[in-house]
Amino acid sequence: MVRTRFAPSPTGYLHIGGARTALFCWAFAKKRGGTFILRIEDTDRERSTQASVQAILDSMQWLGLDYEGPYYQMERLERYRAVAEQLVKHGHAYYDYASKEDLDALRELQRSRGEKPRYDGRWRPENVARLKLAPPAGVAAVIRFKNPGEGAVTFNDLVKGPITVANSELDDLVLMRSDGIPTYNFGVVVDDIDMQITHVIRGDDHVSNTPRQINVYRALGVEAPQFAHVPMILGQDGERLSKRHGAVSVMQYQEEGYLPEALVNYLARLGWSHGDEEKFTREKLVEWFDLGHISKSPARFDPEKLTWLNAQYIKEADNVRLAELTMPFLVATGCDVTVGPRLEQVIALMKERVSTIKELAAAIVYFYCPVEASDELMRQHLTDEIKPAMRDLRQRFGTTEWNRAKINETIKSVIGDHKLKLPKIAMPLRVAATGTTHTPSIDATLELIGRDEVLARLDKALRG
């Protein structure tokens, strides 16, 4: 049974790179009828916050990534201590009493010699016996892993292929800090064993940790899971992805009016592909997903492509659902959506023209809020030359049967009587009725605004 996990540290919000990793883990497990686990690695007590935990949980829910858990490392401290003691007992780990000052001096000496800074094994049992060392008073020990001195670690990365690292390149890593908190490389191994993880899919910044972790698995007599390290995501300029590239937290995409299915679709295509398919459902992702088609090269994040994809999903989305998503944006603007046309009707008219829900709300605000065109727009379009035709149009609208076809007929009759071309009256009509020059077909727009409101807005504009 396939079991994968996503194990974020709650020291910030969930960003694009982490969300993609979670999605790949989720899709891989779902494809194989397995289990996807969420584990919160909250052992960084100084930087971990409950707000970050909640942001991770909210992001997973919004993206629709269901999981087993969440599990929290800080609730498992006794388990880590017990396993570390077991390693000490069997000669695979030892107590290290080197102080921070000792280690700083060691690294400084090694750097001065041009050597790679690394722990020198001074508190290994054989060195303690040879040098007759005794634990210093008042120093809390860490527990270090006794890394093999010879041989190598070889593993087949399911994305990168075979990787070999000599044990001589690895020093004795700390398993348990003196405060009883496990280090990342130890906690993750114990967790993955206890949670029976079969496949570890994570960013390729963890490749260097893998040989260390495999040695701990071996010392515990447990077969390591299979590893797949996914290349990082870069900005369009080839630099490491950051906020300036548009890589904000997952929940900010919700706040900006993106649909979760659009973001899931886009994230899936960041470094993975299924032929030339660009747009596909979550169900198709699960059906198609495999590790063999993950690129070995970094992916490039393109916010414009994400926005384009979001626009396609908005066009296809149910109008009732879009109304529910748009409502909070309108309310925040101060609009009263209980006065005016049905929101679903307005959205049906407008959704082809926008890329985000936030943009949709901004585009329809004039249906529900008082209109106030700028003085510049009014001067530009509602000129003295056009006002007589506009007053005539306002009068005829008072008796026009209020539907799109009849509105269109009335506008055409005024154009004909005043010997005008359509833009000459359509543009000032837009400005007076909506406060903007960009709307769908003016007859459809006026129909939804409603006769009484249109007349009131025309009266106000003509008085000005």
Side-chain angles (χ1 to χ4, degrees):
M1 179 67 74
V2 167
R3 290 174 65 84
T4 64
R5 48 71 167 178
F6 175 54
S9 175
T11 54
Y13 300 115
L14 182 59
H15 293 280
I16 288 298
R20 184 191 65 169
T21 299
L23 179 62
F24 284 3
C25 293
W26 176 86
F28 185 80
K30 290 291 181 182
K31 168 71 178 287
R32 288 152 185 79
T35 302
F36 169 62
I37 291 167
L38 176 63
R39 185 172 73 224
I40 306 296
E41 298 191 343
D42 55 349
T43 54
D44 187 340
R45 293 189 292 185
E46 289 186 4
R47 298 195 301 145
S48 295
T49 67
Q50 188 54 44
S52 294
V53 171
Q54 192 59 51
I56 292 168
L57 300 180
D58 290 344
S59 298
M60 298 293 282
Q61 181 179 20
W62 184 64
L63 292 172
L65 306 184
D66 53 311
Y67 52 83
E68 176 185 302
Y71 300 103
Y72 297 88
Q73 285 190 324
M74 287 300 289
E75 296 176 357
R76 291 170 43 79
L77 296 184
E78 289 302 317
R79 172 63 177 156
Y80 306 127
R81 170 62 66 177
V83 176
E85 298 285 0
Q86 174 189 338
L87 288 168
V88 172
K89 180 179 178 181
H90 291 93
H92 296 298
Y94 57 93
Y95 294 102
D96 171 29
Y97 294 92
S99 66
K100 180 181 183 301
E101 292 71 24
D102 291 338
L103 296 175
D104 288 344
L106 172 63
R107 293 189 193 100
E108 190 59 38
L109 177 62
Q110 289 169 332
R111 288 192 188 97
S112 69
R113 295 172 176 171
E115 300 171 358
K116 177 181 177 181
R118 55 186 292 150
Y119 182 66
D120 59 1
R122 62 182 61 183
W123 282 95
R124 276 189 167 218
E126 59 269 28
N127 293 330
V128 169
R130 178 173 56 83
L131 299 172
K132 296 183 173 56
L133 298 177
V139 177
V142 301
I143 297 179
R144 278 190 187 270
F145 181 64
K146 192 176 181 182
N147 196 74
E150 298 179 349
V153 176
T154 297
F155 65 99
N156 182 46
D157 191 294
L158 298 177
V159 172
K160 297 179 174 296
I163 295 176
T164 297
V165 176
N167 278 319
S168 59
E169 292 294 312
L170 309 174
D171 60 359
D172 293 355
L173 66 97
V174 174
L175 302 179
M176 295 291 292
R177 300 185 181 92
S178 59
D179 61 2
I181 304 295
T183 59
Y184 165 76
N185 278 309
F186 182 53
V188 74
V189 169
V190 176
D191 290 340
D192 286 348
I193 291 172
D194 289 354
M195 297 173 191
Q196 300 178 301
I197 301 302
T198 61
H199 295 76
V200 172
I201 303 168
R202 58 189 179 187
D204 63 2
D205 52 331
H206 287 291
V207 169
S208 61
N209 291 322
T210 304
R212 300 176 182 276
Q213 293 169 11
I214 289 175
N215 277 337
V216 177
Y217 279 106
R218 290 174 177 173
L220 290 169
V222 178
E223 183 178 350
Q226 297 187 69
F227 294 93
H229 291 94
V230 181
M232 69 173 63
I233 303 172
L234 304 177
Q236 286 290 85
D237 56 3
E239 297 295 321
R240 192 179 184 91
L241 196 62
S242 65
K243 287 184 179 180
R244 68 186 176 85
H245 298 108
V248 295
S249 70
V250 168
M251 295 313 291
Q252 190 165 334
Y253 282 101
Q254 182 195 38
E255 293 165 9
E256 291 296 320
Y258 287 80
L259 298 179
E261 59 266 36
L263 187 56
V264 164
N265 188 159
Y266 182 72
L267 289 177
R269 288 288 285 112
L270 273 179
W272 173 85
S273 62
H274 181 80
D276 295 326
E277 299 287 343
E278 288 287 348
K279 185 172 178 291
F280 44 81
T281 63
R282 190 187 311 265
E283 291 72 27
K284 281 297 182 185
L285 169 61
V286 170
E287 178 185 335
W288 294 337
F289 189 79
D290 61 359
L291 298 175
H293 286 89
I294 292 178
S295 171
K296 292 180 172 62
S297 304
R300 297 210 178 203
F301 181 75
D302 183 352
E304 291 184 4
K305 189 168 184 179
L306 169 59
T307 301
W308 173 85
L309 191 61
N310 197 61
Q312 309 315 304
Y313 276 98
I314 286 176
K315 289 174 185 175
E316 298 173 2
D318 177 74
N319 294 332
V320 173
R321 178 190 173 210
L322 291 178
E324 292 173 353
L325 295 173
T326 307
M327 185 90 69
F329 290 97
L330 290 170
V331 171
T333 309
C335 291
D336 183 358
V337 294
T338 65
V339 178
R342 285 179 54 234
L343 192 49
E344 294 88 341
Q345 290 179 301
V346 176
I347 284 171
L349 178 66
M350 299 293 293
K351 68 180 185 179
E352 297 276 339
R353 305 167 63 89
V354 301
S355 298
T356 69
I357 302 297
K358 189 174 184 179
E359 191 179 320
L360 177 58
I364 66 176
V365 71
Y366 56 78
F367 287 97
Y368 304 101
C369 284
V371 167
E372 196 67 56
S374 68
D375 291 341
E376 182 182 350
L377 276 181
M378 295 297 284
R379 284 194 302 270
Q380 182 181 350
H381 296 288
L382 201 63
T383 62
D384 290 339
E385 176 191 0
I386 205 66
K387 279 183 179 180
M390 288 292 291
R391 290 191 181 97
D392 187 10
L393 181 62
R394 186 260 177 256
Q395 289 303 118
R396 299 191 197 191
F397 273 168
T399 57
T400 298
E401 185 179 342
W402 206 255
N403 60 62
R404 184 174 181 178
K406 294 298 183 181
I407 293 170
N408 185 270
E409 285 180 15
T410 303
I411 293 173
K412 284 182 176 178
S413 68
V414 170
I415 288 172
D417 291 348
H418 291 265
K419 296 181 173 51
L420 299 170
K421 291 185 178 180
L422 179 61
K424 271 289 188 178
I425 201 163
M427 198 58 77
L429 182 53
R430 278 192 175 90
V431 170
T434 70
T436 178
T437 57
H438 300 287
T439 73
S441 176
I442 188 61
D443 49 11
T445 302
L446 296 180
E447 179 186 33
L448 284 178
I449 292 175
R451 184 209 310 271
D452 291 345
E453 185 63 24
V454 167
L455 295 180
R457 293 180 183 185
L458 288 177
D459 286 341
K460 181 180 178 183
L462 290 168
R463 282 197 303 270

